[in-house]
């Protein structure tokens, strides 16, 4: 009994000893847990209140970081705009800097063949200017006389044509020998031009130069004739009956074959083209925002995404161009002069294809430039188009001959044909515009494929990184 009792006591004491040995660790554990609970239960530091800090606040790391990010983004953007001024705006300024860099072509056609025709032709060729280079064209090239010259001007074969009309010399000689009170020297010479072909060139160069040259020619001829008649016995009756024969023996008439007589057309042949591109840019940004908001960029297959982008652009520009065309009808732009009631339909289709030609280029490049940099390309796109629409390309430096393939130039030429009846270049102009559309139909899928390929690689790389992280052993286990 005693031995059992002592044994049991021994066991109990050992158990107690074991428990007493473990009690310090348990106490430490409980203490740590208690401290942790106290830390977790302590209140978090208050979040910064909005709208309470100054831009120049010192000692605040959050304000300092935000200020540096702001200044870096703002200054870098400002530098890019400054570079754009010199790199892009210079294209437009250069198109006006030394105008004309090359003279316009002008014709002189002598249908008279007499003394008047000979003197006028010689004097005009001596009055060469940097604005118009006169070429003497034999009258034999024009079987139907002045009618063929008029048609040549309308067909854009020359910018201005001066004809010395048939019988000019004989009528003047008859008026001198038999004084005629009805004699009109302005029937001797006619200058033909077409203002609607390019109103700026006509108003700034063609008409002023033609007037200045012909005024000098007729003055020179009048001085020579007055000297010849000074000793004539017919001088006195001639001055009393027909003084204009001596004072103004020859003169001229300027015939504006296709006048720019619709001021509202200025909106569609120049400034309106800029608006057309801006409207296209709006559609590009609307579609870009819609894709971002909906997430279809990450959702759709490549082929499906490309189709959505192309169809959305064609659909949007189709209706946008229709309402843009209706605006011009509302302000009574006459589109029936050359093509009748089909003029509006042609005008609408021209605006539609024109918007596609400039808008799809933006739609393609926004894939890589994104909303941050696409405005810089839009400025470049506007400038390179506008620079070749102010004056004729033939008088600009050779650099600007790219303009023959520019969308704005071709749209403007077609509008002039529809609204004023200038030479029909619709086939050529639509062909150039369709070429731009075709280029965008190829570049947009190509760029989208490259971007999608990059995105897929990024996703695959990210997935591999996550797998490797899971496979790495946890340190301390």
């Amino acid at each position: 009994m005693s031995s059992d009792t002592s044994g049991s006591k021994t066991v109990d004491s050992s158990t107690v000893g074991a428990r007493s040995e473990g009690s310090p660790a348990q106490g430490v554990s409980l203490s740590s847990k208690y401290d942790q609970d106290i830390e977790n239960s302590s209140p978090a530091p208050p979040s910064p209140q909005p709208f309470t800090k100054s831009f120049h606040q010192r000692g605040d790391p959050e304000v300092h970081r935000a200020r540096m990010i702001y200044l870096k983004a703002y200054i870098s953007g400002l530098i890019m705009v400054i570079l754009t001024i010199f790199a892009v705006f210079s294209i437009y300024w250069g198109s006006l800097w030394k105008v004309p860099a090359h003279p316009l072509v002008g014709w002189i056609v002598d249908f008279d063949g007499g003394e008047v025709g000979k003197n006028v032709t010689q004097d005009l060729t001596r009055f060469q200017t940097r604005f118009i280079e006169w070429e003497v064209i034999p009258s034999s090239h024009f079987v139907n006389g002045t009618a063929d010259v008029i048609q040549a001007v309308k067909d854009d074969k020359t910018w201005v044509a001066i004809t010395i009309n048939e019988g000019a010399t004989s009528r003047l000689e008859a008026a001198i020998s038999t004084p005629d009170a009805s004699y009109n020297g302005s029937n001797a010479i006619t200058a033909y031009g077409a203002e609607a072909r390019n109103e700026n060139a006509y108003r700034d160069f063609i008409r002023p130069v033609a007037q200045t040259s012909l005024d000098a020619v007729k003055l020179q001829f009048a001085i020579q004739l007055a000297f010849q008649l000074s000793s004539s016995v017919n001088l006195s009756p001639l001055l009393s009956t027909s003084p204009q024969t001596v004072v103004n023996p020859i003169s001229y008439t300027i015939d504006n074959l296709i006048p720019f007589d619709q001021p509202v057309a200025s909106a569609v042949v120049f400034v309106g083209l800029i608006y057309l591109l801006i409207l296209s840019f709006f559609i590009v940004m609307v579609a870009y925002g819609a894709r971002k908001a909906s997430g279809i960029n990450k959702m759709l297959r490549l082929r499906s995404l490309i189709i959505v982008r192309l169809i959305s652009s064609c659909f949007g520009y189709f209706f946008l161009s229709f309402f843009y065309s209706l605006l011009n009808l509302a302000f009574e732009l006459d589109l029936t002069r050359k093509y009748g009631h089909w003029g509006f339909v042609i005008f609408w289709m021209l605006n539609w294809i024109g918007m596609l030609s400039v808008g799809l280029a933006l739609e393609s490049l926004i894939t890589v430039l994104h909303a941050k940099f696409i405005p810089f390309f839009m400025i470049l796109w506007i400038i390179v188009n506008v620079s070749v629409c102010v004056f004729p390309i033939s008088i600009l430096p050779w650099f600007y001959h790219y303009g023959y393939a520019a969308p704005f130039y071709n749209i403007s030429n077609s509008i002039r044909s529809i609204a004023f009846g200038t030479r029909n270049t619709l086939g050529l102009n639509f062909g150039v515009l369709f070429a731009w559309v075709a280029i965008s139909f190829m570049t947009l899928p190509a760029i989208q494929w490259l971007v999608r390929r990059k995105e897929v690689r990024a996703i695959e790389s990210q997935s591999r990184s996550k797998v490797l992280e899971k496979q790495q052993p946890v340190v301390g286990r």
Side-chain angles (χ1 to χ4, degrees), residues 86-112:
F86 289 99
V88 178
F89 284 21
S90 298
I91 299 174
Y92 180 70
W93 264 252
S95 68
L96 306 175
W97 181 36
K98 290 186 177 180
V99 173
H102 309 283
L104 295 168
V105 176
W107 287 356
I108 302 171
V109 185
D110 181 13
F111 288 106
D112 176 58

Coordinates of all heavy atoms in Angstrom, one line a residue, residues 86-112:
F86 N 7.2 73.8 -84.0 CA 8.3 74.0 -84.9 C 8.3 72.9 -86.0 O 8.7 73.1 -87.1 CB 9.6 74.0 -84.2 CG 9.8 75.3 -83.4 CD1 9.6 75.4 -82.1 CD2 10.2 76.5 -84.1 CE1 9.8 76.6 -81.4 CE2 10.4 77.7 -83.4 CZ 10.2 77.7 -82.0
A87 N 8.0 71.7 -85.6 CA 8.1 70.5 -86.5 C 6.9 70.4 -87.4 O 7.0 70.0 -88.6 CB 8.2 69.2 -85.7
V88 N 5.7 70.8 -86.9 CA 4.4 70.5 -87.7 C 3.9 71.8 -88.3 O 3.6 71.9 -89.5 CB 3.4 69.9 -86.8 CG1 2.1 69.7 -87.6 CG2 3.9 68.5 -86.3
F89 N 3.8 72.9 -87.5 CA 3.3 74.1 -88.0 C 4.1 74.7 -89.1 O 3.6 75.5 -89.9 CB 3.1 75.1 -86.8 CG 2.0 74.9 -85.9 CD1 1.4 73.6 -85.9 CD2 1.4 75.9 -85.1 CE1 0.3 73.4 -85.1 CE2 0.3 75.6 -84.3 CZ -0.2 74.4 -84.3
S90 N 5.4 74.4 -89.0 CA 6.3 74.9 -90.1 C 5.9 74.5 -91.5 O 6.2 75.1 -92.5 CB 7.8 74.5 -89.8 OG 8.2 75.0 -88.6
I91 N 5.2 73.3 -91.5 CA 4.8 72.8 -92.8 C 3.8 73.8 -93.5 O 3.9 74.1 -94.6 CB 4.2 71.4 -92.7 CG1 5.2 70.4 -92.1 CG2 3.6 70.9 -94.0 CD1 4.6 69.1 -91.8
Y92 N 2.8 74.3 -92.6 CA 1.8 75.2 -93.1 C 2.4 76.6 -93.4 O 2.2 77.2 -94.5 CB 0.7 75.4 -92.1 CG -0.4 76.3 -92.6 CD1 -1.2 76.0 -93.6 CD2 -0.6 77.6 -92.0 CE1 -2.2 76.9 -94.1 CE2 -1.5 78.4 -92.4 CZ -2.4 78.1 -93.4 OH -3.3 79.0 -93.8
W93 N 3.3 77.1 -92.5 CA 3.9 78.4 -92.7 C 4.8 78.3 -94.0 O 4.9 79.3 -94.7 CB 4.7 78.8 -91.5 CG 4.0 79.7 -90.6 CD1 4.3 81.0 -90.3 CD2 2.9 79.4 -89.7 NE1 3.4 81.5 -89.4 CE2 2.6 80.5 -89.0 CE3 2.2 78.2 -89.4 CZ2 1.5 80.6 -88.1 CZ3 1.2 78.2 -88.5 CH2 0.9 79.4 -87.8
G94 N 5.4 77.2 -94.2 CA 6.3 77.1 -95.4 C 5.5 77.1 -96.7 O 6.1 77.6 -97.7
S95 N 4.3 76.7 -96.7 CA 3.5 76.7 -97.9 C 3.1 78.1 -98.3 O 2.7 78.4 -99.4 CB 2.2 75.9 -97.7 OG 1.3 76.5 -96.8
L96 N 3.2 79.1 -97.3 CA 2.8 80.5 -97.6 C 4.0 81.4 -97.7 O 3.9 82.6 -98.0 CB 1.8 81.0 -96.5 CG 0.6 80.2 -96.3 CD1 -0.2 80.7 -95.1 CD2 -0.3 80.1 -97.5
W97 N 5.2 80.9 -97.3 CA 6.4 81.7 -97.1 C 6.9 82.3 -98.4 O 7.0 83.6 -98.5 CB 7.5 80.9 -96.4 CG 8.7 81.6 -96.2 CD1 8.8 82.9 -95.8 CD2 10.1 81.1 -96.3 NE1 10.1 83.3 -95.6 CE2 10.9 82.2 -95.9 CE3 10.6 79.9 -96.6 CZ2 12.3 82.0 -95.9 CZ3 12.0 79.8 -96.5 CH2 12.8 80.8 -96.2
K98 N 7.1 81.5 -99.4 CA 7.6 82.1 -100.7 C 6.7 81.8 -101.8 O 7.1 81.2 -102.9 CB 9.0 81.4 -100.9 CG 10.1 81.9 -100.0 CD 11.5 81.4 -100.4 CE 12.5 82.0 -99.5 NZ 13.9 81.5 -99.8
V99 N 5.5 82.2 -101.7 CA 4.5 82.0 -102.7 C 4.5 83.2 -103.7 O 4.5 84.3 -103.2 CB 3.1 81.8 -102.1 CG1 2.0 81.8 -103.2 CG2 3.0 80.5 -101.3
P100 N 4.7 82.9 -105.0 CA 4.8 81.6 -105.6 C 6.3 81.2 -105.7 O 7.1 82.0 -106.1 CB 4.2 81.8 -106.9 CG 4.5 83.2 -107.3 CD 4.5 84.0 -106.0
A101 N 6.5 79.9 -105.4 CA 7.9 79.4 -105.6 C 8.1 79.1 -107.1 O 9.2 79.1 -107.6 CB 8.1 78.1 -104.8
H102 N 7.0 78.9 -107.8 CA 7.0 78.6 -109.3 C 5.9 79.4 -109.9 O 4.8 79.5 -109.3 CB 6.9 77.2 -109.6 CG 7.8 76.3 -108.8 ND1 9.2 76.2 -109.2 CD2 7.7 75.5 -107.7 CE1 9.8 75.3 -108.3 NE2 8.9 74.9 -107.4
P103 N 6.1 80.0 -111.1 CA 5.0 80.8 -111.6 C 3.9 79.9 -112.2 O 4.0 78.8 -112.5 CB 5.7 81.6 -112.8 CG 6.9 80.7 -113.1 CD 7.3 80.0 -111.9
L104 N 2.7 80.6 -112.3 CA 1.6 79.9 -113.0 C 1.8 80.0 -114.5 O 2.5 80.9 -115.0 CB 0.3 80.6 -112.6 CG -0.2 80.5 -111.1 CD1 -1.3 81.5 -110.8 CD2 -0.6 79.1 -110.8
V105 N 1.1 79.2 -115.2 CA 1.2 79.2 -116.7 C 0.1 80.0 -117.3 O -1.0 79.9 -116.9 CB 1.1 77.7 -117.2 CG1 1.1 77.7 -118.7 CG2 2.3 76.9 -116.7
G106 N 0.5 80.9 -118.1 CA -0.4 81.8 -118.9 C -0.2 81.7 -120.4 O 0.9 81.6 -120.8
W107 N -1.3 81.8 -121.1 CA -1.2 81.7 -122.6 C -1.4 83.0 -123.2 O -2.2 83.8 -122.7 CB -2.2 80.7 -123.1 CG -1.9 79.3 -122.9 CD1 -0.8 78.7 -122.3 CD2 -2.7 78.1 -123.2 NE1 -0.9 77.4 -122.2 CE2 -2.1 77.0 -122.8 CE3 -4.0 78.0 -123.8 CZ2 -2.6 75.7 -123.0 CZ3 -4.5 76.7 -124.0 CH2 -3.8 75.6 -123.6
I108 N -0.8 83.2 -124.3 CA -1.0 84.4 -125.2 C -1.3 83.8 -126.6 O -0.5 83.1 -127.2 CB 0.2 85.4 -125.3 CG1 0.6 85.9 -123.9 CG2 -0.1 86.5 -126.2 CD1 1.9 86.6 -123.9
V109 N -2.5 84.2 -127.1 CA -2.9 83.6 -128.4 C -3.3 84.8 -129.3 O -4.2 85.6 -128.9 CB -4.1 82.7 -128.2 CG1 -4.5 82.1 -129.6 CG2 -3.9 81.6 -127.2
D110 N -2.6 84.9 -130.4 CA -2.9 86.0 -131.3 C -3.8 85.6 -132.5 O -3.3 84.9 -133.4 CB -1.5 86.5 -131.9 CG -1.7 87.7 -132.8 OD1 -2.8 88.3 -132.9 OD2 -0.7 88.1 -133.5
F111 N -5.0 85.9 -132.4 CA -6.0 85.6 -133.5 C -6.0 86.8 -134.5 O -6.7 86.7 -135.5 CB -7.4 85.4 -132.9 CG -7.5 84.1 -132.2 CD1 -7.6 84.1 -130.8 CD2 -7.6 82.9 -132.9 CE1 -7.8 82.9 -130.1 CE2 -7.7 81.7 -132.2 CZ -7.8 81.7 -130.8
D112 N -5.4 87.9 -134.1 CA -5.4 89.1 -135.0 C -4.4 88.9 -136.2 O -4.8 89.1 -137.3 CB -5.1 90.3 -134.2 CG -5.0 91.6 -135.0 OD1 -6.0 91.9 -135.7 OD2 -4.0 92.2 -135.0

